[in-house]
Amino acid sequence: MESSAPEEPLPPDRNPIPPDRGEDTGAREKFENGSTPYPMRILQVSQGFPPRENAGVELYTFHLSRALLAKEHRVHVFCREEVPEKEEFSSYEEIYNGLTVTRVVNNFTWRSESDPRLYYDNPFFDTVFSVTLRKQQPDLVHFQHLI
Protein backbone atom coordinates (compact mmCIF):
# COMPACT_ATOMS: atom_id res chain seq x y z
CA MET A 1 0.00 0.00 0.00
CA GLU A 2 1.42 3.36 -1.02
CA SER A 3 1.66 6.19 1.44
CA SER A 4 -0.08 9.43 0.56
CA ALA A 5 2.25 11.42 2.79
CA PRO A 6 4.28 14.04 0.92
CA GLU A 7 7.91 13.18 0.31
CA GLU A 8 10.43 14.79 2.60
CA PRO A 9 12.76 17.14 0.70
CA LEU A 10 16.31 15.90 0.31
CA PRO A 11 19.02 17.67 2.30
CA PRO A 12 20.87 20.24 0.13
CA ASP A 13 23.97 18.04 -0.17
CA ARG A 14 21.90 15.14 -1.62
CA ASN A 15 19.48 17.10 -3.80
CA PRO A 16 20.10 16.35 -7.50
CA ILE A 17 18.59 19.68 -8.51
CA PRO A 18 21.16 22.47 -8.05
CA PRO A 19 20.21 25.65 -6.23
CA ASP A 20 18.53 28.37 -8.24
CA ARG A 21 20.88 29.74 -10.87
CA GLY A 22 19.09 32.93 -11.74
CA GLU A 23 18.20 32.78 -15.41
CA ASP A 24 17.23 29.10 -15.21
CA THR A 25 14.29 29.94 -12.93
CA GLY A 26 11.00 29.10 -14.57
CA ALA A 27 12.56 27.03 -17.33
CA ARG A 28 12.35 23.97 -15.09
CA GLU A 29 8.57 23.92 -15.49
CA LYS A 30 8.92 23.17 -19.22
CA PHE A 31 10.23 19.65 -18.55
CA GLU A 32 7.05 17.72 -17.82
CA ASN A 33 8.38 14.18 -18.38
CA GLY A 34 10.73 14.45 -15.40
CA SER A 35 13.75 13.18 -17.32
CA THR A 36 15.65 16.44 -16.94
CA PRO A 37 14.81 18.48 -13.86
CA TYR A 38 16.59 21.59 -15.18
CA PRO A 39 18.38 22.79 -18.30
CA MET A 40 22.01 21.76 -18.10
CA ARG A 41 25.06 23.79 -18.99
CA ILE A 42 27.04 21.54 -21.33
CA LEU A 43 30.53 22.16 -22.66
CA GLN A 44 31.42 20.15 -25.77
CA VAL A 45 35.15 19.80 -26.53
CA SER A 46 36.13 18.84 -30.05
CA GLN A 47 39.16 18.91 -32.31
CA GLY A 48 37.27 21.10 -34.78
CA PHE A 49 33.82 22.39 -35.57
CA PRO A 50 31.82 23.51 -38.60
CA PRO A 51 31.89 25.45 -40.80
CA ARG A 52 35.70 25.17 -41.00
CA GLU A 53 35.95 21.47 -40.12
CA ASN A 54 33.33 19.05 -41.47
CA ALA A 55 34.48 15.51 -40.75
CA GLY A 56 33.01 12.81 -38.49
CA VAL A 57 33.76 14.06 -34.97
CA GLU A 58 33.06 17.66 -35.94
CA LEU A 59 29.67 16.87 -37.51
CA TYR A 60 28.72 14.53 -34.67
CA THR A 61 29.53 17.26 -32.13
CA PHE A 62 27.56 19.82 -34.15
CA HIS A 63 24.41 17.68 -34.49
CA LEU A 64 24.54 16.51 -30.87
CA SER A 65 24.97 20.10 -29.69
CA ARG A 66 22.02 21.30 -31.81
CA ALA A 67 19.84 18.48 -30.44
CA LEU A 68 20.78 19.39 -26.86
CA LEU A 69 20.05 23.04 -27.61
CA ALA A 70 16.62 22.04 -28.96
CA LYS A 71 15.99 20.35 -25.59
CA GLU A 72 16.63 23.76 -24.00
CA HIS A 73 20.06 22.95 -22.59
CA ARG A 74 22.74 25.62 -22.82
CA VAL A 75 25.54 24.30 -24.98
CA HIS A 76 28.98 25.82 -25.49
CA VAL A 77 31.58 24.35 -27.85
CA PHE A 78 35.33 24.57 -27.30
CA CYS A 79 37.48 23.61 -30.29
CA ARG A 80 40.73 24.21 -32.13
CA GLU A 81 41.11 25.50 -35.63
CA GLU A 82 43.98 25.79 -38.04
CA VAL A 83 44.24 29.30 -39.52
CA PRO A 84 47.81 30.12 -40.60
CA GLU A 85 47.11 33.84 -40.87
CA LYS A 86 46.04 34.05 -37.20
CA GLU A 87 48.33 34.14 -34.19
CA GLU A 88 49.12 30.75 -32.69
CA PHE A 89 46.98 30.00 -29.60
CA SER A 90 44.89 33.14 -29.98
CA SER A 91 41.21 32.56 -29.28
CA TYR A 92 37.86 34.12 -29.96
CA GLU A 93 34.19 33.41 -29.38
CA GLU A 94 31.47 33.34 -32.03
CA ILE A 95 27.91 32.18 -32.54
CA TYR A 96 27.40 29.45 -35.14
CA ASN A 97 23.86 28.16 -35.78
CA GLY A 98 22.75 29.26 -32.32
CA LEU A 99 25.73 27.68 -30.55
CA THR A 100 28.38 29.70 -28.77
CA VAL A 101 31.79 28.47 -29.89
CA THR A 102 35.22 29.26 -28.43
CA ARG A 103 37.86 28.66 -31.10
CA VAL A 104 41.57 28.35 -30.27
CA VAL A 105 44.05 28.70 -33.11
CA ASN A 106 46.44 25.75 -33.24
CA ASN A 107 48.55 25.72 -36.39
CA PHE A 108 50.96 23.14 -34.93
CA THR A 109 53.89 25.56 -35.19
CA TRP A 110 55.16 24.08 -31.92
CA ARG A 111 55.57 20.57 -33.39
CA SER A 112 58.42 18.77 -31.79
CA GLU A 113 59.61 15.24 -32.42
CA SER A 114 61.37 15.42 -29.06
CA ASP A 115 58.13 15.71 -27.09
CA PRO A 116 55.21 13.87 -28.76
CA ARG A 117 53.23 14.27 -25.53
CA LEU A 118 52.33 17.78 -26.71
CA TYR A 119 49.90 16.21 -29.17
CA TYR A 120 47.62 15.10 -26.33
CA ASP A 121 48.80 17.10 -23.29
CA ASN A 122 49.34 20.59 -24.67
CA PRO A 123 49.77 23.22 -21.92
CA PHE A 124 49.16 26.04 -24.40
CA PHE A 125 45.42 25.35 -24.13
CA ASP A 126 45.32 25.44 -20.33
CA THR A 127 44.66 29.14 -19.83
CA VAL A 128 41.93 29.60 -22.42
CA PHE A 129 40.26 26.33 -21.38
CA SER A 130 40.36 27.36 -17.70
CA VAL A 131 38.82 30.73 -18.56
CA THR A 132 36.10 28.97 -20.57
CA LEU A 133 35.35 26.64 -17.64
CA ARG A 134 35.09 29.54 -15.18
CA LYS A 135 32.93 31.57 -17.54
CA GLN A 136 30.56 28.76 -18.60
CA GLN A 137 30.43 26.87 -15.28
CA PRO A 138 29.26 23.70 -17.03
CA ASP A 139 27.39 20.89 -15.32
CA LEU A 140 28.91 18.50 -17.83
CA VAL A 141 32.05 18.57 -20.00
CA HIS A 142 31.88 16.16 -22.93
CA PHE A 143 35.25 15.50 -24.59
CA GLN A 144 34.60 14.31 -28.13
CA HIS A 145 38.25 14.17 -29.15
CA LEU A 146 41.66 15.42 -28.08
CA ILE A 147 42.45 18.91 -29.27
Side-chain angles (χ1 to χ4, degrees):
M1 178 173 213
E2 291 185 26
S3 170
S4 60
E7 289 185 21
E8 291 291 320
L10 290 172
D13 62 329
R14 295 199 50 208
N15 192 340
I17 301 174
D20 181 28
R21 296 196 302 195
E23 59 195 63
D24 286 345
T25 302
R28 294 178 185 136
E29 298 169 13
K30 295 178 184 177
F31 294 88
E32 296 175 0
N33 66 4
S35 63
T36 305
Y38 61 92
M40 292 179 65
R41 294 177 179 155
I42 301 169
L43 177 62
Q44 299 276 20
V45 181
S46 180
Q47 66 186 16
F49 199 72
R52 291 164 191 83
E53 304 285 339
N54 291 294
V57 169
E58 295 87 346
L59 292 175
Y60 176 80
T61 303
F62 170 72
H63 290 294
L64 176 59
S65 297
R66 291 285 299 159
L68 290 166
L69 192 65
K71 296 280 187 184
E72 300 188 23
H73 296 292
R74 287 186 290 178
V75 181
H76 187 98
V77 178
F78 183 91
C79 66
R80 67 159 290 277
E81 68 176 3
E82 191 168 349
V83 186
E85 61 272 11
K86 290 189 178 181
E87 182 181 346
E88 184 79 321
F89 303 115
S90 61
S91 66
Y92 63 97
E93 201 170 274
E94 69 177 1
I95 304 295
Y96 177 72
N97 278 349
L99 296 163
T100 306
V101 181
T102 297
R103 297 183 186 270
V104 182
V105 176
N106 182 0
N107 295 318
F108 295 106
T109 58
W110 49 265
R111 278 192 177 136
S112 168
E113 299 303 319
S114 64
D115 192 0
R117 188 183 76 206
L118 288 175
Y119 286 97
Y120 63 88
D121 185 16
N122 190 323
F124 304 117
F125 285 94
D126 291 355
T127 301
V128 68
F129 190 68
S130 294
V131 167
T132 300
L133 286 174
R134 279 193 305 275
K135 182 178 177 185
Q136 298 303 317
Q137 298 181 356
D139 298 306
L140 172 71
V141 179
H142 186 177
F143 285 88
Q144 302 288 351
H145 198 279
L146 298 175
I147 57 171

